[in-house]
Amino acid sequence: GEDAVAILKESGLDQVQLVQLDVTNQDSINAAVATVKQRFGKLDILVNNAGILGGWDQKAVSVKTEVIREVFDTNFFGVINVTQAFLDLLRKSERPRINNITSGLGSLTLHTNPDWDHYDVKTGAYGPSKTALNAYSVVLAYELKDDNFKVNVIDPGYTATDFNDHQGGLSV
Ligand SMILES: NC(=O)c1ccc[n+]([C@@H]2O[C@H](COP(=O)([O-])OP(=O)(O)OC[C@H]3O[C@@H](n4cnc5c(N)ncnc54)[C@H](OP(=O)(O)O)[C@@H]3O)[C@@H](O)[C@H]2O)c1
C-alpha cells in the first residue's frame, strides 16, 4: 500500500493516503470506517475493487465448494459488508457514489453468446461471484435511487494486472 501511495504521489496525486482494509474481515472493515470518519468525516466515492480469481481449477463439474466460498467471501460478501459499513459516511456526501468492479465473466448474456471473444473462458467460482455482485448492485441501486446515490458496476475489460500475470490486452 505504501509503495502504491508513493507511485501515485510521484504521478502528481499528492493527497493520496493509505488505509488498510481486508474486505473479508469485519474488524478490519470497521477499523477502516473509523479511520476515514476520523480523517475526513464523510466518504464521496466507494470503489469496491478488491477481487480474487480463485485459481484456474474451477470447472463446474469438479470445483470444490470451498473454492467458491473463498471467492464469494471477497468478491461478493466482502462488497456487501464494506458497502453496508460505509453507508453512514457515504450519506454525509452531497453526491455519494458506489462503484462495484465487475467482470464480463459475470455476464450471463455474454456467456450465452458463442460469438463473444471470451465465450470459452468459463469459471465455476469467479464468474458466478461477479454475476451475484451484478444482481446485488441492481437491488442496491434501486434502494438508494431516491437518496442522491449513484451505484455503478464497472467492467475494466481484460487488463494486464497481477490478476492474470499481466496477460490482459488492456493497460491500467
Ligand atoms: N484484470 C482483469 O483483466 C480484470 C477483468 C475484469 C475484472 N477485473 C476485476 O478488477 C478488480 C481489480 O483486479 P486487478 O485486475 O487489478 O487484480 P489484482 O492486480 O490482482 O488486484 C486485486 C486487488 O484486490 C486486492 N484484494 C484481494 N483480496 C482482498 C481482500 N480480502 N481485502 C482487500 N483487498 C483485497 C488485492 O490486494 P493485495 O495486493 O494487497 O492482495 C489487490 O490490490 C477485481 O475485482 C477483478 O475481479 C479484472
Side-chain angles (χ1 to χ4, degrees), residues 6-43:
I7 291 167
L8 290 166
K9 281 191 169 170
E10 265 175 34
S11 77
L13 296 169
D14 58 351
Q15 303 210 26
V16 180
Q17 294 185 26
L18 170 65
V19 180
Q20 199 167 33
L21 171 62
D22 176 351
V23 303
T24 65
N25 179 318
Q26 193 63 46
D27 288 342
S28 171
I29 295 171
N30 294 344
V33 171
T35 301
V36 173
K37 184 176 183 184
Q38 186 241 324
R39 287 189 198 168
F40 308 104
K42 66 166 181 171
L43 182 62

PDB file of all heavy atoms in Angstrom, residues 6-43:
ATOM      1  N   ALA A   6       3.288   5.912  -2.831  1.00  0.00           N
ATOM      2  CA  ALA A   6       4.488   6.608  -3.325  1.00  0.00           C
ATOM      3  C   ALA A   6       4.404   6.795  -4.839  1.00  0.00           C
ATOM      4  O   ALA A   6       4.707   7.884  -5.363  1.00  0.00           O
ATOM      5  CB  ALA A   6       5.736   5.820  -2.946  1.00  0.00           C
ATOM      6  N   ILE A   7       3.985   5.748  -5.557  1.00  0.00           N
ATOM      7  CA  ILE A   7       3.883   5.829  -7.030  1.00  0.00           C
ATOM      8  C   ILE A   7       2.842   6.886  -7.424  1.00  0.00           C
ATOM      9  O   ILE A   7       3.072   7.703  -8.321  1.00  0.00           O
ATOM     10  CB  ILE A   7       3.503   4.448  -7.621  1.00  0.00           C
ATOM     11  CG1 ILE A   7       4.665   3.477  -7.452  1.00  0.00           C
ATOM     12  CG2 ILE A   7       3.118   4.568  -9.094  1.00  0.00           C
ATOM     13  CD1 ILE A   7       4.304   2.019  -7.709  1.00  0.00           C
ATOM     14  N   LEU A   8       1.692   6.878  -6.738  1.00  0.00           N
ATOM     15  CA  LEU A   8       0.629   7.828  -7.079  1.00  0.00           C
ATOM     16  C   LEU A   8       1.056   9.259  -6.773  1.00  0.00           C
ATOM     17  O   LEU A   8       0.759  10.176  -7.533  1.00  0.00           O
ATOM     18  CB  LEU A   8      -0.663   7.467  -6.331  1.00  0.00           C
ATOM     19  CG  LEU A   8      -1.329   6.180  -6.838  1.00  0.00           C
ATOM     20  CD1 LEU A   8      -2.390   5.702  -5.859  1.00  0.00           C
ATOM     21  CD2 LEU A   8      -1.939   6.391  -8.214  1.00  0.00           C
ATOM     22  N   LYS A   9       1.788   9.424  -5.668  1.00  0.00           N
ATOM     23  CA  LYS A   9       2.263  10.779  -5.324  1.00  0.00           C
ATOM     24  C   LYS A   9       3.251  11.271  -6.379  1.00  0.00           C
ATOM     25  O   LYS A   9       3.212  12.441  -6.777  1.00  0.00           O
ATOM     26  CB  LYS A   9       2.897  10.782  -3.932  1.00  0.00           C
ATOM     27  CG  LYS A   9       1.842  10.809  -2.838  1.00  0.00           C
ATOM     28  CD  LYS A   9       2.434  11.084  -1.473  1.00  0.00           C
ATOM     29  CE  LYS A   9       1.311  11.375  -0.490  1.00  0.00           C
ATOM     30  NZ  LYS A   9       1.753  11.418   0.900  1.00  0.00           N
ATOM     31  N   GLU A  10       4.125  10.369  -6.841  1.00  0.00           N
ATOM     32  CA  GLU A  10       5.086  10.750  -7.887  1.00  0.00           C
ATOM     33  C   GLU A  10       4.367  11.191  -9.154  1.00  0.00           C
ATOM     34  O   GLU A  10       4.854  12.058  -9.890  1.00  0.00           O
ATOM     35  CB  GLU A  10       5.981   9.550  -8.240  1.00  0.00           C
ATOM     36  CG  GLU A  10       7.304   9.536  -7.485  1.00  0.00           C
ATOM     37  CD  GLU A  10       8.085   8.282  -7.788  1.00  0.00           C
ATOM     38  OE1 GLU A  10       8.011   7.778  -8.930  1.00  0.00           O
ATOM     39  OE2 GLU A  10       8.764   7.797  -6.868  1.00  0.00           O
ATOM     40  N   SER A  11       3.181  10.588  -9.418  1.00  0.00           N
ATOM     41  CA  SER A  11       2.452  10.955 -10.629  1.00  0.00           C
ATOM     42  C   SER A  11       1.644  12.245 -10.441  1.00  0.00           C
ATOM     43  O   SER A  11       0.910  12.643 -11.348  1.00  0.00           O
ATOM     44  CB  SER A  11       1.530   9.811 -11.056  1.00  0.00           C
ATOM     45  OG  SER A  11       0.387   9.787 -10.234  1.00  0.00           O
ATOM     46  N   GLY A  12       1.740  12.859  -9.262  1.00  0.00           N
ATOM     47  CA  GLY A  12       1.107  14.165  -9.067  1.00  0.00           C
ATOM     48  C   GLY A  12      -0.111  14.145  -8.158  1.00  0.00           C
ATOM     49  O   GLY A  12      -0.674  15.199  -7.862  1.00  0.00           O
ATOM     50  N   LEU A  13      -0.556  12.961  -7.733  1.00  0.00           N
ATOM     51  CA  LEU A  13      -1.717  12.894  -6.833  1.00  0.00           C
ATOM     52  C   LEU A  13      -1.210  13.037  -5.398  1.00  0.00           C
ATOM     53  O   LEU A  13      -0.972  12.050  -4.710  1.00  0.00           O
ATOM     54  CB  LEU A  13      -2.452  11.561  -7.024  1.00  0.00           C
ATOM     55  CG  LEU A  13      -3.064  11.337  -8.398  1.00  0.00           C
ATOM     56  CD1 LEU A  13      -3.520   9.889  -8.561  1.00  0.00           C
ATOM     57  CD2 LEU A  13      -4.248  12.266  -8.603  1.00  0.00           C
ATOM     58  N   ASP A  14      -1.049  14.297  -4.949  1.00  0.00           N
ATOM     59  CA  ASP A  14      -0.329  14.499  -3.695  1.00  0.00           C
ATOM     60  C   ASP A  14      -1.178  14.300  -2.441  1.00  0.00           C
ATOM     61  O   ASP A  14      -0.676  14.370  -1.328  1.00  0.00           O
ATOM     62  CB  ASP A  14       0.329  15.893  -3.691  1.00  0.00           C
ATOM     63  CG  ASP A  14      -0.703  16.996  -3.878  1.00  0.00           C
ATOM     64  OD1 ASP A  14      -1.860  16.669  -4.176  1.00  0.00           O
ATOM     65  OD2 ASP A  14      -0.334  18.173  -3.715  1.00  0.00           O
ATOM     66  N   GLN A  15      -2.496  14.035  -2.607  1.00  0.00           N
ATOM     67  CA  GLN A  15      -3.337  13.889  -1.409  1.00  0.00           C
ATOM     68  C   GLN A  15      -3.690  12.437  -1.103  1.00  0.00           C
ATOM     69  O   GLN A  15      -4.574  12.170  -0.288  1.00  0.00           O
ATOM     70  CB  GLN A  15      -4.617  14.692  -1.587  1.00  0.00           C
ATOM     71  CG  GLN A  15      -4.309  16.144  -1.862  1.00  0.00           C
ATOM     72  CD  GLN A  15      -5.391  17.065  -1.340  1.00  0.00           C
ATOM     73  OE1 GLN A  15      -6.105  16.730  -0.408  1.00  0.00           O
ATOM     74  NE2 GLN A  15      -5.515  18.218  -1.949  1.00  0.00           N
ATOM     75  N   VAL A  16      -2.991  11.508  -1.762  1.00  0.00           N
ATOM     76  CA  VAL A  16      -3.325  10.090  -1.555  1.00  0.00           C
ATOM     77  C   VAL A  16      -2.886   9.639  -0.166  1.00  0.00           C
ATOM     78  O   VAL A  16      -1.806   9.977   0.294  1.00  0.00           O
ATOM     79  CB  VAL A  16      -2.611   9.224  -2.615  1.00  0.00           C
ATOM     80  CG1 VAL A  16      -2.944   7.749  -2.412  1.00  0.00           C
ATOM     81  CG2 VAL A  16      -3.007   9.663  -4.002  1.00  0.00           C
ATOM     82  N   GLN A  17      -3.776   8.909   0.501  1.00  0.00           N
ATOM     83  CA  GLN A  17      -3.431   8.349   1.815  1.00  0.00           C
ATOM     84  C   GLN A  17      -3.758   6.866   1.848  1.00  0.00           C
ATOM     85  O   GLN A  17      -4.680   6.416   1.170  1.00  0.00           O
ATOM     86  CB  GLN A  17      -4.223   9.052   2.924  1.00  0.00           C
ATOM     87  CG  GLN A  17      -3.865  10.518   3.092  1.00  0.00           C
ATOM     88  CD  GLN A  17      -4.591  11.125   4.291  1.00  0.00           C
ATOM     89  OE1 GLN A  17      -4.953  10.453   5.245  1.00  0.00           O
ATOM     90  NE2 GLN A  17      -4.808  12.427   4.223  1.00  0.00           N
ATOM     91  N   LEU A  18      -3.038   6.140   2.661  1.00  0.00           N
ATOM     92  CA  LEU A  18      -3.234   4.696   2.798  1.00  0.00           C
ATOM     93  C   LEU A  18      -4.187   4.380   3.952  1.00  0.00           C
ATOM     94  O   LEU A  18      -4.039   4.923   5.046  1.00  0.00           O
ATOM     95  CB  LEU A  18      -1.875   4.039   3.060  1.00  0.00           C
ATOM     96  CG  LEU A  18      -1.874   2.562   3.456  1.00  0.00           C
ATOM     97  CD1 LEU A  18      -2.395   1.690   2.335  1.00  0.00           C
ATOM     98  CD2 LEU A  18      -0.469   2.134   3.850  1.00  0.00           C
ATOM     99  N   VAL A  19      -5.157   3.517   3.684  1.00  0.00           N
ATOM    100  CA  VAL A  19      -5.995   2.955   4.750  1.00  0.00           C
ATOM    101  C   VAL A  19      -5.983   1.447   4.559  1.00  0.00           C
ATOM    102  O   VAL A  19      -6.335   0.956   3.480  1.00  0.00           O
ATOM    103  CB  VAL A  19      -7.452   3.478   4.673  1.00  0.00           C
ATOM    104  CG1 VAL A  19      -8.287   2.868   5.791  1.00  0.00           C
ATOM    105  CG2 VAL A  19      -7.499   4.995   4.723  1.00  0.00           C
ATOM    106  N   GLN A  20      -5.576   0.708   5.591  1.00  0.00           N
ATOM    107  CA  GLN A  20      -5.504  -0.743   5.459  1.00  0.00           C
ATOM    108  C   GLN A  20      -6.916  -1.347   5.545  1.00  0.00           C
ATOM    109  O   GLN A  20      -7.737  -0.905   6.348  1.00  0.00           O
ATOM    110  CB  GLN A  20      -4.634  -1.312   6.572  1.00  0.00           C
ATOM    111  CG  GLN A  20      -4.125  -2.697   6.264  1.00  0.00           C
ATOM    112  CD  GLN A  20      -3.030  -3.124   7.209  1.00  0.00           C
ATOM    113  OE1 GLN A  20      -3.019  -2.748   8.376  1.00  0.00           O
ATOM    114  NE2 GLN A  20      -2.105  -3.907   6.711  1.00  0.00           N
ATOM    115  N   LEU A  21      -7.187  -2.354   4.704  1.00  0.00           N
ATOM    116  CA  LEU A  21      -8.525  -2.950   4.683  1.00  0.00           C
ATOM    117  C   LEU A  21      -8.481  -4.361   4.117  1.00  0.00           C
ATOM    118  O   LEU A  21      -8.024  -4.577   2.995  1.00  0.00           O
ATOM    119  CB  LEU A  21      -9.455  -2.082   3.801  1.00  0.00           C
ATOM    120  CG  LEU A  21     -10.837  -2.637   3.462  1.00  0.00           C
ATOM    121  CD1 LEU A  21     -11.677  -2.837   4.713  1.00  0.00           C
ATOM    122  CD2 LEU A  21     -11.570  -1.692   2.510  1.00  0.00           C
ATOM    123  N   ASP A  22      -8.955  -5.319   4.908  1.00  0.00           N
ATOM    124  CA  ASP A  22      -9.182  -6.676   4.405  1.00  0.00           C
ATOM    125  C   ASP A  22     -10.696  -6.857   4.341  1.00  0.00           C
ATOM    126  O   ASP A  22     -11.370  -6.901   5.373  1.00  0.00           O
ATOM    127  CB  ASP A  22      -8.561  -7.712   5.345  1.00  0.00           C
ATOM    128  CG  ASP A  22      -8.846  -9.147   4.911  1.00  0.00           C
ATOM    129  OD1 ASP A  22      -9.669  -9.360   3.987  1.00  0.00           O
ATOM    130  OD2 ASP A  22      -8.258 -10.069   5.511  1.00  0.00           O
ATOM    131  N   VAL A  23     -11.234  -6.961   3.131  1.00  0.00           N
ATOM    132  CA  VAL A  23     -12.700  -6.969   2.967  1.00  0.00           C
ATOM    133  C   VAL A  23     -13.353  -8.241   3.493  1.00  0.00           C
ATOM    134  O   VAL A  23     -14.576  -8.305   3.590  1.00  0.00           O
ATOM    135  CB  VAL A  23     -13.111  -6.736   1.481  1.00  0.00           C
ATOM    136  CG1 VAL A  23     -12.536  -5.430   0.951  1.00  0.00           C
ATOM    137  CG2 VAL A  23     -12.716  -7.917   0.601  1.00  0.00           C
ATOM    138  N   THR A  24     -12.542  -9.252   3.840  1.00  0.00           N
ATOM    139  CA  THR A  24     -13.121 -10.488   4.396  1.00  0.00           C
ATOM    140  C   THR A  24     -13.092 -10.484   5.924  1.00  0.00           C
ATOM    141  O   THR A  24     -13.442 -11.493   6.540  1.00  0.00           O
ATOM    142  CB  THR A  24     -12.375 -11.735   3.878  1.00  0.00           C
ATOM    143  OG1 THR A  24     -11.020 -11.713   4.356  1.00  0.00           O
ATOM    144  CG2 THR A  24     -12.381 -11.798   2.360  1.00  0.00           C
ATOM    145  N   ASN A  25     -12.664  -9.374   6.519  1.00  0.00           N
ATOM    146  CA  ASN A  25     -12.509  -9.324   7.973  1.00  0.00           C
ATOM    147  C   ASN A  25     -13.298  -8.122   8.519  1.00  0.00           C
ATOM    148  O   ASN A  25     -12.936  -6.977   8.256  1.00  0.00           O
ATOM    149  CB  ASN A  25     -11.011  -9.213   8.287  1.00  0.00           C
ATOM    150  CG  ASN A  25     -10.734  -9.136   9.774  1.00  0.00           C
ATOM    151  OD1 ASN A  25     -11.423  -8.442  10.518  1.00  0.00           O
ATOM    152  ND2 ASN A  25      -9.713  -9.851  10.213  1.00  0.00           N
ATOM    153  N   GLN A  26     -14.368  -8.402   9.263  1.00  0.00           N
ATOM    154  CA  GLN A  26     -15.255  -7.312   9.714  1.00  0.00           C
ATOM    155  C   GLN A  26     -14.527  -6.330  10.631  1.00  0.00           C
ATOM    156  O   GLN A  26     -14.789  -5.117  10.574  1.00  0.00           O
ATOM    157  CB  GLN A  26     -16.490  -7.887  10.416  1.00  0.00           C
ATOM    158  CG  GLN A  26     -17.605  -6.872  10.644  1.00  0.00           C
ATOM    159  CD  GLN A  26     -18.199  -6.301   9.336  1.00  0.00           C
ATOM    160  OE1 GLN A  26     -18.491  -7.050   8.399  1.00  0.00           O
ATOM    161  NE2 GLN A  26     -18.369  -4.980   9.267  1.00  0.00           N
ATOM    162  N   ASP A  27     -13.605  -6.829  11.478  1.00  0.00           N
ATOM    163  CA  ASP A  27     -12.852  -5.906  12.350  1.00  0.00           C
ATOM    164  C   ASP A  27     -12.034  -4.933  11.513  1.00  0.00           C
ATOM    165  O   ASP A  27     -11.934  -3.737  11.828  1.00  0.00           O
ATOM    166  CB  ASP A  27     -11.909  -6.685  13.284  1.00  0.00           C
ATOM    167  CG  ASP A  27     -12.673  -7.425  14.367  1.00  0.00           C
ATOM    168  OD1 ASP A  27     -13.848  -7.069  14.600  1.00  0.00           O
ATOM    169  OD2 ASP A  27     -12.095  -8.358  14.957  1.00  0.00           O
ATOM    170  N   SER A  28     -11.428  -5.469  10.439  1.00  0.00           N
ATOM    171  CA  SER A  28     -10.621  -4.624   9.554  1.00  0.00           C
ATOM    172  C   SER A  28     -11.506  -3.594   8.846  1.00  0.00           C
ATOM    173  O   SER A  28     -11.133  -2.425   8.715  1.00  0.00           O
ATOM    174  CB  SER A  28      -9.898  -5.517   8.524  1.00  0.00           C
ATOM    175  OG  SER A  28      -9.291  -4.741   7.538  1.00  0.00           O
ATOM    176  N   ILE A  29     -12.686  -4.027   8.408  1.00  0.00           N
ATOM    177  CA  ILE A  29     -13.629  -3.097   7.755  1.00  0.00           C
ATOM    178  C   ILE A  29     -14.019  -1.985   8.733  1.00  0.00           C
ATOM    179  O   ILE A  29     -13.976  -0.795   8.399  1.00  0.00           O
ATOM    180  CB  ILE A  29     -14.895  -3.846   7.272  1.00  0.00           C
ATOM    181  CG1 ILE A  29     -14.549  -4.862   6.177  1.00  0.00           C
ATOM    182  CG2 ILE A  29     -15.951  -2.849   6.769  1.00  0.00           C
ATOM    183  CD1 ILE A  29     -15.701  -5.791   5.804  1.00  0.00           C
ATOM    184  N   ASN A  30     -14.365  -2.374   9.961  1.00  0.00           N
ATOM    185  CA  ASN A  30     -14.792  -1.380  10.955  1.00  0.00           C
ATOM    186  C   ASN A  30     -13.665  -0.388  11.255  1.00  0.00           C
ATOM    187  O   ASN A  30     -13.915   0.812  11.427  1.00  0.00           O
ATOM    188  CB  ASN A  30     -15.240  -2.076  12.239  1.00  0.00           C
ATOM    189  CG  ASN A  30     -16.493  -2.918  12.035  1.00  0.00           C
ATOM    190  OD1 ASN A  30     -17.189  -2.764  11.036  1.00  0.00           O
ATOM    191  ND2 ASN A  30     -16.761  -3.827  12.957  1.00  0.00           N
ATOM    192  N   ALA A  31     -12.432  -0.898  11.319  1.00  0.00           N
ATOM    193  CA  ALA A  31     -11.286  -0.021  11.598  1.00  0.00           C
ATOM    194  C   ALA A  31     -11.091   0.977  10.449  1.00  0.00           C
ATOM    195  O   ALA A  31     -10.792   2.154  10.677  1.00  0.00           O
ATOM    196  CB  ALA A  31     -10.019  -0.858  11.794  1.00  0.00           C
ATOM    197  N   ALA A  32     -11.283   0.503   9.201  1.00  0.00           N
ATOM    198  CA  ALA A  32     -11.129   1.399   8.041  1.00  0.00           C
ATOM    199  C   ALA A  32     -12.212   2.485   8.073  1.00  0.00           C
ATOM    200  O   ALA A  32     -11.934   3.657   7.796  1.00  0.00           O
ATOM    201  CB  ALA A  32     -11.216   0.599   6.740  1.00  0.00           C
ATOM    202  N   VAL A  33     -13.435   2.095   8.419  1.00  0.00           N
ATOM    203  CA  VAL A  33     -14.521   3.083   8.522  1.00  0.00           C
ATOM    204  C   VAL A  33     -14.163   4.131   9.578  1.00  0.00           C
ATOM    205  O   VAL A  33     -14.312   5.347   9.347  1.00  0.00           O
ATOM    206  CB  VAL A  33     -15.862   2.388   8.875  1.00  0.00           C
ATOM    207  CG1 VAL A  33     -16.936   3.424   9.203  1.00  0.00           C
ATOM    208  CG2 VAL A  33     -16.319   1.490   7.727  1.00  0.00           C
ATOM    209  N   ALA A  34     -13.667   3.668  10.725  1.00  0.00           N
ATOM    210  CA  ALA A  34     -13.312   4.600  11.811  1.00  0.00           C
ATOM    211  C   ALA A  34     -12.201   5.545  11.361  1.00  0.00           C
ATOM    212  O   ALA A  34     -12.239   6.751  11.678  1.00  0.00           O
ATOM    213  CB  ALA A  34     -12.883   3.812  13.054  1.00  0.00           C
ATOM    214  N   THR A  35     -11.229   5.028  10.605  1.00  0.00           N
ATOM    215  CA  THR A  35     -10.119   5.873  10.136  1.00  0.00           C
ATOM    216  C   THR A  35     -10.623   6.939   9.172  1.00  0.00           C
ATOM    217  O   THR A  35     -10.268   8.118   9.293  1.00  0.00           O
ATOM    218  CB  THR A  35      -9.051   5.011   9.425  1.00  0.00           C
ATOM    219  OG1 THR A  35      -8.581   4.028  10.346  1.00  0.00           O
ATOM    220  CG2 THR A  35      -7.892   5.860   8.935  1.00  0.00           C
ATOM    221  N   VAL A  36     -11.470   6.545   8.218  1.00  0.00           N
ATOM    222  CA  VAL A  36     -11.990   7.515   7.241  1.00  0.00           C
ATOM    223  C   VAL A  36     -12.857   8.552   7.958  1.00  0.00           C
ATOM    224  O   VAL A  36     -12.792   9.748   7.658  1.00  0.00           O
ATOM    225  CB  VAL A  36     -12.790   6.787   6.128  1.00  0.00           C
ATOM    226  CG1 VAL A  36     -13.487   7.794   5.210  1.00  0.00           C
ATOM    227  CG2 VAL A  36     -11.868   5.882   5.316  1.00  0.00           C
ATOM    228  N   LYS A  37     -13.653   8.085   8.925  1.00  0.00           N
ATOM    229  CA  LYS A  37     -14.512   9.015   9.678  1.00  0.00           C
ATOM    230  C   LYS A  37     -13.658  10.052  10.411  1.00  0.00           C
ATOM    231  O   LYS A  37     -13.948  11.260  10.366  1.00  0.00           O
ATOM    232  CB  LYS A  37     -15.358   8.224  10.683  1.00  0.00           C
ATOM    233  CG  LYS A  37     -16.348   9.082  11.432  1.00  0.00           C
ATOM    234  CD  LYS A  37     -17.225   8.235  12.338  1.00  0.00           C
ATOM    235  CE  LYS A  37     -18.261   9.118  13.022  1.00  0.00           C
ATOM    236  NZ  LYS A  37     -19.082   8.370  13.972  1.00  0.00           N
ATOM    237  N   GLN A  38     -12.598   9.561  11.047  1.00  0.00           N
ATOM    238  CA  GLN A  38     -11.753  10.470  11.834  1.00  0.00           C
ATOM    239  C   GLN A  38     -10.986  11.433  10.925  1.00  0.00           C
ATOM    240  O   GLN A  38     -10.871  12.623  11.214  1.00  0.00           O
ATOM    241  CB  GLN A  38     -10.787   9.618  12.663  1.00  0.00           C
ATOM    242  CG  GLN A  38      -9.936  10.385  13.647  1.00  0.00           C
ATOM    243  CD  GLN A  38      -8.447  10.237  13.343  1.00  0.00           C
ATOM    244  OE1 GLN A  38      -8.006   9.173  12.913  1.00  0.00           O
ATOM    245  NE2 GLN A  38      -7.692  11.295  13.533  1.00  0.00           N
ATOM    246  N   ARG A  39     -10.501  10.946   9.770  1.00  0.00           N
ATOM    247  CA  ARG A  39      -9.696  11.805   8.896  1.00  0.00           C
ATOM    248  C   ARG A  39     -10.537  12.765   8.058  1.00  0.00           C
ATOM    249  O   ARG A  39     -10.134  13.885   7.784  1.00  0.00           O
ATOM    250  CB  ARG A  39      -8.854  10.946   7.933  1.00  0.00           C
ATOM    251  CG  ARG A  39      -7.685  10.247   8.599  1.00  0.00           C
ATOM    252  CD  ARG A  39      -6.807   9.608   7.532  1.00  0.00           C
ATOM    253  NE  ARG A  39      -5.940   8.593   8.118  1.00  0.00           N
ATOM    254  CZ  ARG A  39      -5.241   7.716   7.411  1.00  0.00           C
ATOM    255  NH1 ARG A  39      -5.302   7.740   6.094  1.00  0.00           N
ATOM    256  NH2 ARG A  39      -4.483   6.823   8.003  1.00  0.00           N
ATOM    257  N   PHE A  40     -11.707  12.299   7.590  1.00  0.00           N
ATOM    258  CA  PHE A  40     -12.457  13.085   6.593  1.00  0.00           C
ATOM    259  C   PHE A  40     -13.907  13.376   6.984  1.00  0.00           C
ATOM    260  O   PHE A  40     -14.530  14.267   6.414  1.00  0.00           O
ATOM    261  CB  PHE A  40     -12.447  12.370   5.229  1.00  0.00           C
ATOM    262  CG  PHE A  40     -11.071  11.995   4.759  1.00  0.00           C
ATOM    263  CD1 PHE A  40     -10.631  10.679   4.831  1.00  0.00           C
ATOM    264  CD2 PHE A  40     -10.200  12.959   4.271  1.00  0.00           C
ATOM    265  CE1 PHE A  40      -9.356  10.328   4.412  1.00  0.00           C
ATOM    266  CE2 PHE A  40      -8.926  12.617   3.855  1.00  0.00           C
ATOM    267  CZ  PHE A  40      -8.498  11.299   3.930  1.00  0.00           C
ATOM    268  N   GLY A  41     -14.490  12.569   7.867  1.00  0.00           N
ATOM    269  CA  GLY A  41     -15.864  12.808   8.317  1.00  0.00           C
ATOM    270  C   GLY A  41     -16.934  12.413   7.317  1.00  0.00           C
ATOM    271  O   GLY A  41     -18.126  12.507   7.598  1.00  0.00           O
ATOM    272  N   LYS A  42     -16.531  11.997   6.113  1.00  0.00           N
ATOM    273  CA  LYS A  42     -17.502  11.567   5.094  1.00  0.00           C
ATOM    274  C   LYS A  42     -16.756  10.743   4.044  1.00  0.00           C
ATOM    275  O   LYS A  42     -15.514  10.703   4.039  1.00  0.00           O
ATOM    276  CB  LYS A  42     -18.148  12.770   4.420  1.00  0.00           C
ATOM    277  CG  LYS A  42     -17.169  13.591   3.597  1.00  0.00           C
ATOM    278  CD  LYS A  42     -17.872  14.576   2.679  1.00  0.00           C
ATOM    279  CE  LYS A  42     -16.844  15.336   1.865  1.00  0.00           C
ATOM    280  NZ  LYS A  42     -17.414  16.151   0.808  1.00  0.00           N
ATOM    281  N   LEU A  43     -17.530  10.113   3.161  1.00  0.00           N
ATOM    282  CA  LEU A  43     -16.927   9.397   2.033  1.00  0.00           C
ATOM    283  C   LEU A  43     -17.716   9.757   0.773  1.00  0.00           C
ATOM    284  O   LEU A  43     -18.942   9.617   0.757  1.00  0.00           O
ATOM    285  CB  LEU A  43     -16.971   7.876   2.272  1.00  0.00           C
ATOM    286  CG  LEU A  43     -16.332   7.014   1.193  1.00  0.00           C
ATOM    287  CD1 LEU A  43     -14.835   7.299   1.056  1.00  0.00           C
ATOM    288  CD2 LEU A  43     -16.537   5.529   1.498  1.00  0.00           C
TER     289      LEU A  43
END
